[in-house]
């Protein structure tokens, strides 16, 4: 109901690499993030001159599944990175196939860096299907394969969708989040107190 935000000056697009097709995932590496389906899709595609970069802490529950994939030369685990701006900008496409999520801030950040995205409806992303990337069903290996292959074969489309994602996200600075949250509180307070009551100023909420 109240979309989150991002730091406009920090998350900026930079030139993306041309020599390699790089799919990036950023977040906790665990089952509910849909990594199982992403890894299977990537393995089945087996694309030349391509890399899957996984950024985040590896949860114990996923280690048995991840081990064989990490032995592949086209899968890399970067671990936890507190400031992944440069990693976003090293990618071609951002994939976040979450099965269970609130509103993942990493999707905001990736789009702000000019990456097209492949997300699920459960990711809580603001991505517009067919404009900023694609929204695919949860747990669908075939859908992930189809959309990653599309971007692999259509680099210009990836660039144009990434540019559209950045332009769309520019309206979601933290200032908008703060103002929208305050307006919502005022509206709820007014309804609970009645039309004759006066509501004073509400303090600015802390940014997540």
């Amino acid at each position: 109901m109240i979309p989150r935000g991002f730091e406009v000056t920090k998350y900026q697009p930079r030139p993306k690499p041309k020599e390699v097709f790089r799919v990036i995932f950023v977040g906790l590496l665990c089952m509910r993030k849909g990594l199982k389906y992403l890894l299977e899709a990537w393995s089945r595609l087996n694309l030349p001159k391509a890399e899957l970069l996984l950024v985040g802490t590896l949860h114990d529950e996923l280690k048995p599944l991840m081990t064989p994939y990490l032995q592949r030369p086209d899968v890399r685990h970067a671990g936890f990175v507190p400031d992944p701006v440069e990693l976003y900008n090293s990618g071609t496409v951002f994939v976040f196939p979450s099965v269970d999520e609130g509103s993942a801030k990493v999707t905001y950040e990736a789009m702000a860096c000019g990456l097209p995205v492949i997300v699920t409806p459960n990711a809580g992303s603001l991505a517009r299907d067919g404009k900023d990337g694609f929204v695919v069903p949860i747990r669908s290996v075939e859908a992930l394969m189809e959309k990653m292959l599309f971007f692999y074969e259509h680099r210009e489309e990836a660039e144009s969708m990434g540019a559209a994602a950045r332009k769309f996200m520019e309206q979601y600075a933290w200032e908008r989040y703060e103002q929208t949250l305050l307006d919502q509180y005022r509206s709820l307070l007014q309804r609970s107190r009645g039309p004759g009551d006066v509501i004073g100023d509400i303090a600015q909420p802390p940014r997540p």
Side-chain angles (χ1 to χ4, degrees):
M1 292 180 64
I2 303 178
R4 302 178 72 182
F6 73 100
E7 295 178 49
V8 177
T9 56
K10 178 178 180 180
Y11 294 95
Q12 291 277 349
R14 299 192 184 107
K16 305 297 188 285
K18 306 289 185 182
E19 66 279 2
V20 63
F21 175 80
R22 183 174 289 117
V23 169
I24 295 187
F25 169 94
V26 178
L28 178 64
L29 275 61
C30 62
M31 294 299 289
R32 71 178 179 86
K33 301 287 187 179
L35 269 301
K36 170 184 177 180
Y37 312 103
L38 173 57
L39 289 166
E40 183 178 343
W42 183 257
S43 177
R44 286 169 59 180
L45 281 173
N46 199 30
L47 301 170
K49 294 184 179 180
E51 179 184 68
L52 173 61
L53 175 60
L54 304 172
V55 183
T57 302
L58 177 57
H59 196 283
D60 287 343
E61 68 177 7
L62 200 66
K63 285 181 180 178
L65 176 68
M66 280 281 295
T67 300
Y69 290 104
L70 290 176
Q71 295 172 0
R72 294 174 55 103
D74 60 345
V75 177
R76 183 159 61 97
H77 178 214
F80 173 73
V81 178
D83 190 2
V85 176
E86 291 198 10
L87 291 178
Y88 286 128
N89 278 299
S90 74
T92 312
V93 58
F94 181 79
V95 180
F96 196 79
S98 188
V99 175
D100 180 22
E101 199 72 43
S103 184
K105 191 158 65 73
V106 291
T107 62
Y108 292 61
E109 296 169 353
M111 292 171 67
C113 288
L115 281 178
V117 298
I118 302 173
V119 296
T120 64
N122 296 24
S125 170
L126 299 178
R128 301 164 297 173
D129 186 41
K131 294 183 178 180
D132 310 310
F134 298 106
V135 180
V136 300
I138 61 171
R139 302 188 181 96
S140 177
V141 173
E142 289 74 19
L144 289 169
M145 290 176 63
E146 177 188 340
K147 300 310 181 186
M148 285 193 290
L149 183 59
F150 173 86
F151 283 128
Y152 180 81
E153 295 178 339
H154 302 87
R155 306 296 174 89
E156 290 184 3
E157 288 288 338
E159 289 184 14
S160 64
M161 284 189 175
R166 167 65 196 192
K167 186 172 179 60
F168 178 64
M169 288 304 298
E170 286 175 357
Q171 64 185 301
Y172 290 99
W174 279 122
E175 289 74 16
R176 170 176 172 153
Y177 166 82
E178 292 167 351
Q179 190 58 54
T180 305
L181 187 61
L182 291 174
D183 291 344
Q184 187 67 26
Y185 276 129
R186 290 191 183 98
S187 175
L188 292 170
L189 286 170
Q190 190 69 60
R191 274 192 281 170
S192 66
R193 295 188 181 191
D197 295 326
V198 177
I199 299 173
D201 291 336
I202 302 174
Q204 290 283 342
R207 295 182 182 181

